[in-house]
Structures are given as structure tokens and as C-alpha cells.
Amino acid sequence: MECSSSSNVLSGKKKRQNEAPSAQEDVKRRKTEEEGDEDLRRRPCGSAKVSVRLDRLRQPITVAQLMELLHFAALGKSRGIKQPSWCRLHHQKKVSRINVAIVDGVTQSLFYNHYLSMEHLRSSYATRISFTSSSDDVDDVASDIFSLEVPKVDFLCLSAAEEALHDALKYHPVITAFGTQRRGLTAYLLSQQQMIKNHYPVKGLPGFEDFLCTGSDVRVTDDSPLYGLDCEMCQTMKGNELARVSLVDGDGNCLLDELVKPQNHVIDYLTRFSGITAAMLRPVTTTLRDVQAKIRTLLPDDAVLVGHSLNNDLKALKLIHPHVIDTALLYRKEHGQKFKLKVLAQAVLKRQIQTEDQRGHNPTEDAVAALDLAQYFIRTGPLQVVELHLEELWGWSLEESPDCTPEPTPSYRFADILQSLSRPVAFLGKRAFVDLDLSHQRWYRSDKEMLSSFRNQTSHLFLSVLRFSSLSDHMKRSYAHRYHQQQLHHNVSAVFRDMCTVFSGPFPVHFSKREVKRLFSCCGPVHKVQMRNTGVRIHAKVEFQMLEGAMLALEVLNGFSVSGQTIKVQRPVKESMLDLDLNLDALMSDRVNTNQLYVSRLSKDVAEGLSISATVNGRLLGGKPSGFHPGRQTNGSLQTAKVNGKHLHPGTIAPDLSEESLREAFSPFGSIKSVTLPGMHARHARIEFESSDGKHAALSSSDHLLKTGYLTWPSMTPPHLHSWVGMATSRKMQDAEEDAADEQRPDSFTYGGIQRNQEASLLNKLDRRLSRVFNSLPDGTLSVVLLLRHNSRGFDHPGLCFLEVKDGF
């Protein structure tokens, strides 16, 4: 049975006064009637995810910054690690593993040159950011992942005062596991990885398909209620089966104490331990399904179950519960040994249970004992628990510590810390010189062999670094490889500029470059305008900084009238544009753009509707006449213009774009996560909604937004890509290329016998292999894919980093 999680979204947004068109109200009403936020529907409550501010996405990250994320993902705040400086990892405790795939020979340029072929990478990862490193050597990057040191805070959470602790305490198994600080109950919950290691029933693992999930999948806090649980079993022909179950609340009150009829024939009642006899079970009709239903009804959504070796009880009940505290693992011994509940109750609680005069165990008594032990541990703190019971339980004395003398200089290397916490690490791939013990390196002759091996061992590795090198090996066989990356990068940059370029005209002879730029700026920031005089008519080549600007220009200004002369706006006709429709569709559906909206401010030239009414797609659009200058009287009269069937009254322009004004205008459509403006007096912005519903609602109300001076378009440019083009190609080089850009740019080429179609095939195969790696990862794994930078002839080609926490939905 599937766990259920509530993901209803409360709309409670303040309605703007005097701006409540019925169409917009209908959109909002439909939105609130839907099941809820798209991202929450896709992810269970409290699942881990990475988020990066839009403005930060435009800056590349380094290996050191990536390691901030990996350190926090693995160790978290409970071990003194801070959130990364450049991103946020939400619900870090839900991260179960880390997998890093390093792809050799593929740069950011190559990815975008074969964008349509890389379906997995562009659709499975919600975060994409440029990546740079001091070296383009795979061995160096892999070494940094394993060897960069965790910040010099004690990863065992020891404060400065606690550094003076006697070695017998500092390296005690309880202190090693939980530190010395007194913390809330959430610090002692078993993680999914710990549950698997200690043989707990976990949803999705083989062998537990017929187990009932309690449905408790909400976030647990330090105020969540504790419930003690204990079961007694009998031995049947099919193994141990439930015979009695007890459940107590946080105050020790018994909520359930039921005898249960085993499903199969009993061969041993285990009376010595269970206290169960044949006579006791003979009249019982209660079944396992009955007690499952009762327990599920009694437990609230955020309940935390407490027990001693609770995994055995949950298996007997055939229940899956994600939030548990196991007292056998709280009061832990060396080398994985465990105390008996009877011993702990006597030493810690000074309570006698399971005495010889009793006939078997009393599950209610045992449940209360386990509950009291957990509450005592949480209330007292691990350090004081150890100090008070050091000799009685563990047989240690402060004068004579056991053989656990620490190394004089402990290692803070990431790999060493993980291994000290019993979290396995491994490097898999082509033979390499990685700064990691050879016993943790696994070398393979091919990517195919490595992938096959990794998929059989993925559940056993906490940190795995995979090197994919087959594509690089193919490319290096070519004598032209050293020139390929630079030529490829120039080609990709040129194609991207072509996508952002429109040709417009004809214009009147007196229409200047400045006026063209002012006219087209209503759609987005214009990078460059070039006037083209054919001797008969004047046209202009307009290059936008953003792809969305070109799309809006085609939509809004095609058919615009300038001094009675209608202009056309169209794309350049080149081979690079043959697959434009496919690329645009892919960019619009790209996961990094799912919830994002591009907004531009209407300029006065268009919005005031002075003197001219131009027809756009059969509708009227107002604009200033050509050659307009402030203070100059023009022919014609003031008119009301019409765009998309809506009136634009003279003087209707959008206010200066600011985060406050944009939130006021767009928050009625959905919860806004962030607003990104490129600077002061910005003419365009990028709005990120909490869900795609908000974006679609705003696009559906574009007519209403147009009345207030806003043009909208679905975001199409990946957030990092705009800055990448500017970073990768210098302005001087870019302008020189553009001035000579009328000549045909090669869209394909041959190098070393490998044709472009063969290159696309190799990349598609690589993408499929990365997809198989991702699909084999357990839920909760932080997946990282690195495309490394490449330096050729002194020219740096940036890499790319993909980030996603797999959630199985």
C-alpha cells in the first residue's frame, strides 16, 4: 500500500484592488481547485532537493564550491557543516547517498551543439550551472572530491571545551555516533541508510512488497510524539509470526495490547520468552490485518516509534514506518554488539523487567522500558549518559581506557571522514591516478563494463565517483582534436547568436540605428543593431541578448507601422536554423525553465499609441511614428491602440521594473519563488514561480498584463547560458565575428574521420548510459554530473554541472 502525503496548496494571496478581471479570477479559481503545487505533487513532503537563486546561476562554480554541497549533503548541520555559500540543500537528512559522474571530453559547448540528443541530461536534472576547475584533468577533479578537507570543525560535533575530554569518552562508541551535545529527538532518528543496514523493512526494497506502510510520510520535528512498541512471536511452519503486540503513548499509557492468531500452524509457542501458550491463542480471532489497521489508526502522521531492536517487531507486524528510534542503537557497544533491554532497564532506569518469576516477557512492560530509555537519552544527552553509566554498562574507567587510542593528527579528508563513519566510498572507471587508497578504486576497460558492475553494487556505496571516458578516447584518436573544441565552441556561440537575431525593415530613410534599438527594446535588451542599406531600402539586423527578446519581436513587431510603412520582422535564413523549431520546443520544455517566466516592459514608443495604429496579426498596435523626437509635432492624432484585442490607452506604460512591482503584478497568478533583475532600471526580468501553474496562469492572462504594460513569454534561455556566451567569447572577438557574419558559417564538419552524425551517436549513447546510472540510484541519492572544462590553445571552454536529488517520483 502506498504512503500518502498531503500536498494541498493554500492560496491565501492578497487580491489587488481595482484589478480583478473575470478572466484572471477564473484562472485563479481553477488554479486553487487543482490538487496542488506541481513540484509538491511530484515529490513527497520533506524530500531533499537543491535550489540555486537565478542570479547565482549566472556565475560558474568551482570544485571547492561543489565540495561545499557534497560535504553538507553527507554530514549536515548535526556534524557542524554549514549550508553551501552558493545554493541551498533542503531536507539534507533525506540524502542517502552521493553519486558523481565525471564525463571526460564533453564540454558545455559539445552539450549544446548536440542538445537534442542529450534528452536525459536536459530533462532529469532541475539544476544546471557552469562549472570550472583549475585543471581539466579528470584525475585531478576526482582526487579533489575524495581529498578536499572538510572545514576544520570537528565532524564529531565536539566543542572546544569537549576537546579536553578523556580519550575514553571522546572515542566512546556513543560519542562517536551522536557527539556530546544534547539534541532533540530528530537527531536520533534512523536514516534510511541506517534502517537498511540494520535490516529494517523499507519501502521499495525486495522482500517487503506485501508490507503495509503506515502513511506517516510527513516531516518529523523535535516536538513529534513518541510511541513505544513491542511484539512477541511464535514459531510456525513459515518462521516467526506475530502472537502479541503492545503499543504505549509518550506517557506510558497502554493504547493497544492484543493477542494475534498466527496465520500458519504453530510448532513452538516460545513460551519461555513470549509467555504465549496454546490455551491463550485458542479463542483468539484477531488477525495480523486487524492489528495493522488499529496501529495505523492510533498513530498520528508524525509519530516516532521507539523500540529495542525494533526491526524485528516491524517485520512481525509487516509494517513499514519511516520514523524510528532504536534503543539498541542508542546505547551502543563496540564492534556492533548490543545490550539486552533487561540490562539497560536495570542499569539506567533502575527497573527490573523480564524477571525469572515471570512466565515470559510482558510486551507492554518492554515497550514502556524502551520508551523511557529513549526519553532519558534525549533528555540527558549522550555525554552525560556515558559519564553516568560508563563503568556499569561499558566496563570502562577513566583511568584505563580500552585500545582505542586516537591518531595524534586526525584526517579531515572527505573520504577518510566518510569511512570513519562506516560509509563506503569508491572510484570506478578507467585506470587513473586518483588520490584514494587503491583498495577503494575499481578499474575497468570500458564504460560499458564499468556501468554493468556499478549497477550491481550501487546500494552498497555511500560516495561513488564514476569516470566516463569512452567518448574522449574516440576524440583523442583524431589529430584535429586540439582544434575541435575551439571550433566547436565558436560554432555553438554563432548558432546561439543566430537564434537571438532578427532582421527587420524596410525602414524610412531617416530612421536611425538608435531609433531601431529603442523600438526593439520593448521586447528585451538589445545587444547590437546593424543597419543594412541595399541601395533601395533600409533594413536592420537586431541581435538580442536573450532568446525571449527575439521571440517577442517576431510576435509583437512583425507588421508594425513606422510612418505608414509596414515593417517585417523575420529570422535569418541559414542552415543553423533548420532545426530551430525542435530546439525551441526543447528549450521551452527544458526542466530548468519549467516554472520560469520572461517579462519585458513596454517602451513608450509602443505603449503610448501616438499618431499611428499598426496592424499586428490582424489587430491594432499603437506606436510612435518613425523619426519621433520629443517635442517634435508629428502628423496624425492621438489614438487608442489595440494589442491582442485589448486597448492600450495613451500613456499606458509599465512602471520601472522592480521586485516589488513585479510581485504585486504577478503574485495573483501563483506563489513567486524569486524575481531576478539584471540591474537598475532593468527593462526585463525573470520570474520563478513555485510551480508551473503560476507561469501558465500568467501567460493565459497576457491580455490583462498587456494593459498594464507588460509583455510575457515562457522562459527559453537556460539561466546560466546567457552569461556563458558572454564569458566564453570576448566582446571584441564576438563583434569581429558578427561584422563578418554574413558569410556562411559551417554547421557541420569532419575531424579525424569522425563525422558529426557519428559524434551525435556517441553522445546519445553516453546520455543513455548516464540515464541507466541515474535510474539505478536509490531514492534520496544526490546525483551530480560534471562535464569538465577544456583549455585549448589558451582558450578556455567552460564545463557544466548538473544536480538533482533522485526521489523516485
Side-chain angles (χ1 to χ4, degrees):
M1 187 170 181
E2 296 295 329
C3 293
S4 63
S5 61
S6 174
S7 59
N8 293 330
V9 177
L10 302 178
S11 82
K13 295 192 172 56
K14 192 174 181 179
K15 193 174 182 180
R16 294 189 300 152
Q17 296 179 351
N18 303 323
E19 294 185 8
S22 59
Q24 182 175 333
E25 289 179 323
D26 289 340
V27 170
K28 292 174 66 179
R29 177 180 56 79
R30 289 193 300 268
K31 175 178 177 293
T32 55
E33 287 175 351
E34 293 178 357
E35 291 183 8
D37 182 271
E38 175 185 357
D39 191 50
L40 290 179
R41 287 198 301 268
R42 198 181 68 82
R43 293 176 178 267
C45 293
S47 59
K49 65 177 180 178
V50 179
S51 65
V52 188
R53 297 193 318 272
L54 284 177
D55 56 343
R56 184 58 185 83
L57 281 172
R58 297 180 177 179
Q59 306 171 40
I61 62 168
T62 63
V63 176
Q65 289 171 322
L66 174 64
M67 292 310 299
E68 290 179 18
L69 173 62
L70 301 193
H71 290 165
F72 182 75
L75 303 173
K77 290 181 180 179
S78 64
R79 297 190 182 277
I81 307 301
K82 296 180 180 180
Q83 280 272 10
S85 60
W86 57 278
C87 70
R88 285 293 175 268
L89 175 60
H90 306 273
H91 305 296
Q92 173 269 334
K93 291 183 179 179
K94 299 290 186 177
V95 175
S96 60
R97 289 170 181 77
I98 299 173
N99 173 258
V100 182
I102 304 177
V103 181
D104 195 5
V106 180
T107 62
Q108 186 170 153
S109 302
L110 195 59
F111 170 77
Y112 280 107
N113 194 46
H114 295 280
Y115 179 73
L116 295 177
S117 299
M118 310 294 280
E119 182 178 0
H120 164 68
L121 284 182
R122 62 181 168 85
S123 63
S124 297
Y125 291 83
T127 302
R128 189 185 310 160
I129 188 168
S130 295
F131 177 75
T132 184
S133 59
S134 58
S135 170
D136 55 6
D137 191 304
V138 177
D139 296 357
D140 293 340
V141 175
S143 294
D144 285 342
I145 292 173
F146 290 113
S147 63
L148 281 182
E149 293 189 346
V150 172
K152 290 294 192 297
V153 293
D154 195 323
F155 67 92
L156 298 178
C157 301
L158 301 179
S159 65
E162 292 158 1
E163 288 291 345
L165 286 174
H166 193 281
D167 290 345
L169 296 183
K170 188 185 300 184
Y171 296 94
H172 188 281
V174 172
I175 302 299
T176 300
F178 303 112
T180 59
Q181 302 293 321
R182 186 170 57 187
R183 305 180 188 278
L185 67 87
T186 54
Y188 307 110
L189 293 173
L190 293 185
S191 67
Q192 186 180 75
Q193 183 184 8
Q194 290 171 325
M195 293 178 75
I196 294 173
K197 181 179 178 181
N198 289 279
H199 312 295
Y200 272 80
V202 175
K203 181 184 175 183
L205 289 187
F208 306 120
E209 294 83 359
D210 60 340
F211 278 44
L212 177 71
C213 182
T214 59
S216 302
D217 201 23
V218 301
R219 184 178 181 184
V220 170
T221 69
D222 289 337
D223 296 323
S224 294
L226 297 176
Y227 289 82
L229 179 70
D230 190 70
C231 296
E232 300 299 337
M233 278 74 79
C234 291
Q235 188 175 0
T236 72
M237 298 179 66
K238 293 294 183 68
N240 287 341
E241 290 191 37
L242 182 69
R244 186 178 177 185
V245 57
S246 292
L247 181 72
V248 299
D249 63 16
D251 295 323
N253 300 314
C254 184
L255 303 178
L256 178 70
D257 186 8
E258 291 269 3
L259 290 169
V260 182
K261 190 77 169 180
Q263 292 179 318
N264 298 287
H265 177 68
V266 178
I267 58 177
D268 189 347
Y269 287 92
L270 303 175
T271 306
R272 176 185 173 190
F273 304 103
S274 67
I276 305 295
T277 65
M280 293 172 62
L281 288 183
R282 193 171 297 119
V284 174
T285 59
T286 303
T287 65
L288 175 63
R289 187 179 296 274
D290 294 333
V291 294
Q292 285 178 334
K294 289 181 180 180
I295 291 175
R296 193 174 185 187
T297 302
L298 289 169
L299 294 179
D301 288 340
D302 62 340
V304 176
L305 284 180
V306 179
H308 195 77
S309 296
L310 188 58
N311 56 307
N312 297 323
D313 303 299
L314 291 175
K315 286 180 180 179
L317 283 164
K318 291 194 172 182
L319 276 182
I320 293 176
H321 189 83
H323 314 304
V324 299
I325 294 177
D326 193 333
T327 51
L329 300 176
L330 280 183
Y331 299 84
R332 56 183 62 198
K333 299 174 70 174
E334 304 90 339
H335 313 301
Q337 297 177 334
K338 298 178 181 179
F339 288 109
K340 292 182 178 180
L341 180 63
K342 177 179 179 178
V343 172
L344 289 175
Q346 182 174 355
V348 178
L349 304 176
K350 310 305 179 186
R351 183 183 307 168
Q352 300 291 326
I353 64 171
Q354 303 173 2
T355 57
E356 293 183 1
D357 59 336
Q358 289 181 334
R359 188 177 184 183
H361 300 175
N362 183 330
T364 302
E365 182 182 61
D366 291 355
V368 171
L371 178 71
D372 290 345
L373 284 167
Q375 291 174 331
Y376 173 81
F377 193 99
I378 296 168
R379 183 174 62 251
T380 307
L383 177 60
Q384 193 171 356
V385 167
V386 170
E387 288 177 336
L388 292 173
H389 307 285
L390 182 64
E391 187 169 358
E392 185 177 9
L393 279 178
W394 289 277
W396 295 11
S397 65
L398 294 180
E399 291 75 23
E400 298 179 2
S401 59
D403 292 335
C404 60
T405 304
E407 294 292 332
T409 54
S411 172
Y412 287 89
R413 287 164 40 100
F414 188 39
D416 294 341
I417 287 180
L418 292 180
Q419 291 177 82
S420 71
L421 297 173
S422 301
R423 298 179 178 179
V425 304
F427 171 83
L428 300 88
K430 186 178 178 181
R431 182 169 181 168
F433 297 98
V434 177
D435 190 5
L436 182 70
D437 191 278
L438 289 178
S439 62
H440 301 292
Q441 297 190 44
R442 299 160 195 180
W443 297 336
Y444 304 92
R445 290 170 295 181
S446 67
D447 291 352
K448 181 178 180 181
E449 182 182 350
M450 174 193 67
L451 177 59
S452 176
S453 175
F454 173 73
R455 294 174 72 184
N456 293 327
Q457 56 187 308
T458 177
S459 61
H460 306 298
L461 298 173
F462 179 83
L463 172 63
S464 52
V465 177
L466 281 61
R467 175 185 181 180
F468 287 85
S469 56
S470 294
L471 182 68
S472 177
D473 293 341
H474 278 282
M475 295 173 63
K476 287 178 180 178
R477 297 188 188 115
S478 166
Y479 68 90
H481 171 67
R482 59 181 298 188
Y483 304 102
H484 170 55
Q485 288 287 353
Q486 183 172 350
Q487 179 62 53
L488 176 63
H489 171 76
H490 288 164
N491 288 349
V492 175
S493 298
V495 171
F496 181 80
R497 289 196 299 271
D498 286 344
M499 294 170 66
C500 295
T501 298
V502 296
F503 284 88
S504 59
F507 292 100
V509 292
H510 56 275
F511 209 73
S512 68
K513 178 192 298 187
R514 179 180 178 184
E515 288 168 317
V516 171
K517 184 172 183 178
R518 184 171 60 177
L519 174 63
F520 278 82
S521 292
C522 73
C523 300
V526 176
H527 166 56
K528 191 172 185 179
V529 175
Q530 291 178 307
M531 303 302 291
R532 301 297 173 89
N533 192 337
T534 65
V536 178
R537 295 185 297 184
I538 295 177
H539 294 76
K541 176 185 176 183
V542 183
E543 182 187 327
F544 288 90
Q545 294 181 21
M546 306 290 288
L547 176 58
E548 295 86 347
M551 299 298 295
L552 278 173
L554 291 164
E555 178 74 15
V556 174
L557 296 180
N558 185 33
F560 192 84
S561 180
V562 180
S563 289
Q565 187 167 327
T566 301
I567 64 171
K568 292 183 178 180
V569 180
Q570 55 191 345
R571 290 193 177 278
V573 180
K574 295 187 176 182
E575 287 187 34
S576 61
M577 299 290 100
L578 291 178
D579 291 329
L580 178 64
D581 57 336
L582 297 177
N583 279 289
L584 293 179
D585 288 343
L587 285 168
M588 202 173 299
S589 61
D590 195 315
R591 192 169 172 195
V592 298
N593 292 323
T594 302
N595 302 340
Q596 299 184 25
L597 182 72
Y598 175 88
V599 180
S600 184
R601 183 183 66 174
L602 274 174
S603 67
K604 293 182 180 180
D605 291 358
V606 175
E608 288 185 353
L610 293 174
S611 305
I612 295 294
S613 293
T615 300
V616 178
N617 296 330
R619 299 173 188 145
L620 294 178
L621 173 67
K624 290 182 182 178
S626 63
F628 171 81
H629 296 281
R632 180 188 298 176
Q633 184 65 39
T634 59
N635 295 327
S637 58
L638 292 178
Q639 298 182 14
T640 297
K642 225 178 185 185
V643 179
N644 295 332
K646 297 294 180 179
H647 290 285
L648 274 177
H649 298 285
T652 301
I653 60 170
D656 287 341
L657 290 186
S658 66
E659 181 169 354
E660 181 180 0
S661 64
L662 287 168
R663 285 186 179 274
E664 180 183 0
F666 287 87
S667 60
F669 305 111
S671 178
I672 294 177
K673 185 176 181 180
S674 65
V675 175
T676 303
L677 295 160
M680 295 290 290
H681 308 296
R683 294 193 176 193
H684 76 285
R686 193 169 180 132
I687 298 176
E688 182 179 14
F689 289 92
E690 292 287 353
S691 82
S692 61
D693 294 337
K695 179 179 84 169
H696 295 315
L699 291 171
S700 298
S701 298
S702 58
D703 291 348
H704 164 70
L705 291 168
L706 190 61
K707 287 174 58 180
T708 57
Y710 293 108
L711 290 174
T712 58
W713 196 264
S715 289
M716 303 178 73
T717 304
H720 73 93
L721 189 57
H722 169 61
S723 64
W724 164 63
V725 172
M727 173 184 65
T729 306
S730 68
R731 180 58 56 86
K732 182 177 179 181
M733 180 184 298
Q734 183 177 349
D735 290 344
E737 288 179 352
E738 292 166 354
D739 291 340
D742 287 335
E743 64 187 54
Q744 183 69 31
R745 293 190 183 102
D747 289 298
S748 62
F749 50 88
T750 303
Y751 63 99
I754 300 180
Q755 303 291 336
R756 175 181 168 81
N757 59 350
Q758 185 178 356
E759 183 181 79
S761 176
L762 291 171
L763 283 164
N764 185 257
K765 180 185 293 186
L766 170 67
D767 187 69
R768 292 197 305 271
R769 285 175 174 168
L770 290 171
S771 177
R772 287 196 287 272
V773 169
F774 186 82
N775 291 334
S776 69
L777 298 175
D779 291 350
T781 301
L782 172 59
S783 174
V784 182
V785 177
L786 295 179
L787 311 184
L788 299 187
R789 63 181 281 274
H790 177 75
N791 191 285
S792 175
R793 301 174 69 186
F795 192 82
D796 190 55
H797 309 277
L800 200 55
C801 176
F802 299 81
L803 298 168
E804 183 64 28
V805 179
K806 185 181 178 186
D807 60 14
F809 282 75

